[in-house]
Amino acid sequence: MRRPRTLACLTAALLGIGALTAGTAAADVPDTGAAKSDNITHLASDPMTGPLTGGVNTDIAFAGKTAYVGNYSGFAIYDIGDPANPALISQVSCPGSQNDVSVYDGLLFLSTDSSRSDNSCQSVSQSPTIKESWEGIKIFDVRDPRNPRYIAAVETKCGSHTHTLIPDKLRRSVYVYNSSYFPNATYPDCQPPNDRIDIVKVPLRNPEQAAVVASPILFPDGGFPGSETGYETSGCHDITAFPAKNIAAAACMGDGLLLDISRPEQPKVIDRVQDAANFSFWHGATFNGDGTKVVFMDELGGGGGAMCTPEVGPNKGATAIFDIKHRKLKFRSYYKITRHQATNENCVSHNGSLIPVRGRDIMVQAWYQGGFSVWDFTDSARPKEIGYFDRPPRDPAGFGGYWSVYYYNGAIYGTEAVKAFDVFKISDPRTDSAARVKLKELNVQTQPAFWG
């Protein structure tokens, strides 16, 4: 089943070019009418400014005391040494949907999933039917966060919607698993069936030599064929790696995959699941702390629909929990927020991360205008919410809410898609021990093994 590129998650609401600018410290934004659990405190909010104003905030990556925030118009870098007072260090104007970010060894990787006139940050939109159009991965040197330098670009056949970093064992290179989808017979560089992923190898000493080194086929049988409610598989949306166990979970439109990544240039499918009854679009994945479970998100409606209503119900637009037994995925249950949202609030399962609590499986997850939820899936069959934050519907009505909400070194960070970069704290005996886990770097799609 073919569907047009109309999902909010996929459209390129891009702006003009601005200068690299430095910002000032964040200010609190009143949460008039917000509903929340008693264990959640809103610490700070930094509204979009400068060249990113009017863009869409997307993903977040972390290194040391710095956060990197993607935006359809570029990216921003924040000092989060004091989570209650994040300070904007710099912004880079570099339009290109959807500008998901990751960081590694002083390099920042940026996904461009909209057809552009060239690979520069001064490019303009250009039809993908034109052979010379460009989409792919941009690489920046961010060792000096006040002066990021654009150093390389790698074109990929269908652009780069999201990407996942997998360091090689010797730490001389990093592999970038590139996810993209929606091929079209009129696109010279993105022809159907797009049954593969592209793998980019980046030599750390010479990142300008980054190049596609493999394009393994994951769906030799074509993948999920589509249904009245579910997308046919024509690529992957997102991949989450768990390098400590040499596995990855790939969310691929109509399919959920478990991959063996022990040989990074030759990933192999070791299990595959489908859910024609309830899943529309396999969107992303999160492992638990020891890699014995994985949850997959279903982005029903593409992020732009009101999917948290009684009419939609508890099993659609939800998160599915799987145990991993003998390298096989075993479905256990669905999780979805129970606070019904209004019909003018876009709400669906979206990006989240684990909160590292030894002996428990707890994560925080974004639900767009459904806010975010902290929930426990230690009992895979009986997940339960233990915290939340939820603003009233936007006035006037429109797209908004939290795109990504992640836990990092004692605080919760969220990208309110059309407003701000927000910081929260959870104070709860069930999660307090997580603050003792300190990471030097976090790309949520490259999960560390906290224990196991």
Side-chain angles (χ1 to χ4, degrees):
M1 175 182 63
R2 293 295 307 143
R3 294 176 184 248
R5 273 193 175 190
T6 56
L7 305 185
C9 172
L10 312 173
T11 54
L14 304 177
L15 302 179
I17 304 301
L20 176 68
T21 60
T24 56
D28 289 332
V29 174
D31 289 313
T32 305
K36 70 179 189 67
S37 55
D38 291 340
N39 56 2
I40 298 293
T41 302
H42 191 186
L43 298 178
S45 186
D46 188 65
M48 293 181 191
T49 59
L52 306 190
T53 303
V56 177
N57 282 332
T58 56
D59 216 359
I60 317 170
F62 304 90
K65 296 180 180 180
T66 309
Y68 304 82
V69 178
N71 183 290
Y72 274 42
S73 295
F75 64 90
I77 303 178
Y78 287 89
D79 181 336
I80 54 170
D82 178 2
N85 292 283
L88 181 63
I89 299 172
S90 63
Q91 299 180 78
V92 172
S93 175
C94 197
S97 163
Q98 60 180 25
N99 280 347
D100 273 12
V101 295
S102 57
V103 291
Y104 185 77
D105 197 33
L107 299 176
L108 180 142
F109 301 87
L110 194 70
S111 283
T112 299
D113 192 34
S114 59
S115 187
R116 312 294 297 176
S117 56
D118 56 59
N119 66 7
S120 75
C121 284
Q122 291 74 45
S123 65
V124 296
S125 294
Q126 182 168 287
S127 172
T129 62
I130 299 172
K131 174 66 177 174
E132 292 73 22
S133 295
W134 186 91
E135 298 180 71
I137 295 170
K138 300 184 178 85
I139 304 173
F140 292 78
D141 182 331
V142 292
R143 286 174 294 180
D144 178 0
R146 296 188 179 277
N147 185 34
R149 294 188 302 112
Y150 182 15
I151 58 174
V154 180
E155 185 172 14
T156 54
K157 288 187 178 297
C158 290
S160 179
H161 194 73
T162 63
H163 65 267
T164 304
L165 302 187
I166 300 173
D168 73 7
K169 304 300 182 184
L170 299 177
R171 299 182 69 86
R172 294 174 180 170
S173 301
V174 64
Y175 289 95
V176 183
Y177 279 24
N178 181 69
S179 296
S180 57
Y181 53 99
F182 279 153
N184 190 298
T186 67
Y187 300 167
D189 294 329
C190 187
Q191 295 284 301
N194 193 37
D195 51 6
R196 69 191 195 289
I197 60 171
D198 293 318
I199 300 176
V200 176
K201 186 177 183 179
V202 183
L204 295 176
R205 290 187 178 180
N206 302 103
E208 67 279 359
Q209 296 177 7
V212 175
V213 294
S215 296
I217 293 174
L218 300 185
F219 303 98
D221 65 351
F224 184 67
S227 66
E228 286 302 312
T229 57
Y231 279 76
E232 65 177 316
T233 297
S234 60
C236 292
H237 179 277
D238 209 346
I239 299 171
T240 296
F242 196 88
K245 284 196 169 182
N246 290 319
I247 57 175
C252 302
M253 302 181 73
D255 292 88
L257 305 181
L258 187 64
L259 303 176
D260 181 328
I261 59 170
S262 54
R263 302 175 69 180
E265 294 184 24
Q266 301 175 35
K268 296 185 181 299
V269 178
I270 53 179
D271 199 19
R272 182 171 104 180
V273 288
Q274 299 173 344
D275 186 350
N278 288 306
F279 260 48
S280 171
F281 192 98
W282 294 70
H283 175 277
T286 299
F287 289 96
N288 68 340
D290 60 3
T292 58
K293 299 177 185 177
V294 64
V295 303
F296 284 100
M297 298 80 172
D298 173 26
E299 196 185 37
L300 174 66
M307 302 303 170
C308 300
T309 64
E311 293 75 20
V312 174
N315 296 337
K316 296 181 185 295
T319 301
I321 305 164
F322 291 82
D323 288 345
I324 302 174
K325 299 287 188 180
H326 308 294
R327 292 165 71 88
K328 296 291 184 181
L329 296 167
K330 179 178 175 58
F331 172 75
R332 298 302 307 277
S333 65
Y334 297 105
Y335 171 77
K336 190 173 182 180
I337 58 173
T338 56
R339 292 173 304 285
H340 291 142
Q341 305 294 302
T343 56
N344 63 340
E345 289 185 279
N346 58 301
C347 177
V348 74
S349 175
H350 216 241
N351 297 342
S353 76
L354 200 70
I355 298 179
V357 178
R358 182 177 290 274
R360 308 294 297 178
D361 300 323
I362 299 174
M363 69 177 291
V364 59
Q365 186 179 3
W367 291 82
Y368 284 109
Q369 285 200 70
F372 68 82
S373 175
V374 180
W375 57 286
D376 186 323
F377 60 104
T378 307
D379 183 343
S380 304
R382 297 174 181 82
K384 59 183 180 181
E385 184 173 73
I386 64 174
Y388 69 93
F389 179 88
D390 183 7
R391 289 192 179 97
R394 289 195 67 210
D395 184 21
F399 173 79
Y402 287 103
W403 182 293
S404 299
V405 181
Y406 298 148
Y407 181 93
Y408 177 69
N409 290 356
I412 292 172
Y413 299 88
T415 45
E416 210 296 344
V418 297
K419 284 187 176 182
F421 175 57
D422 283 357
V423 188
F424 297 84
K425 180 180 180 180
I426 181 168
S427 302
D428 190 293
R430 293 166 290 189
T431 61
D432 287 346
S433 65
R436 295 196 291 268
V437 177
K438 299 298 183 183
L439 300 177
K440 294 182 179 179
E441 190 172 85
L442 178 63
N443 298 295
V444 169
Q445 288 75 31
T446 307
Q447 276 194 239
F450 294 107
W451 37 79

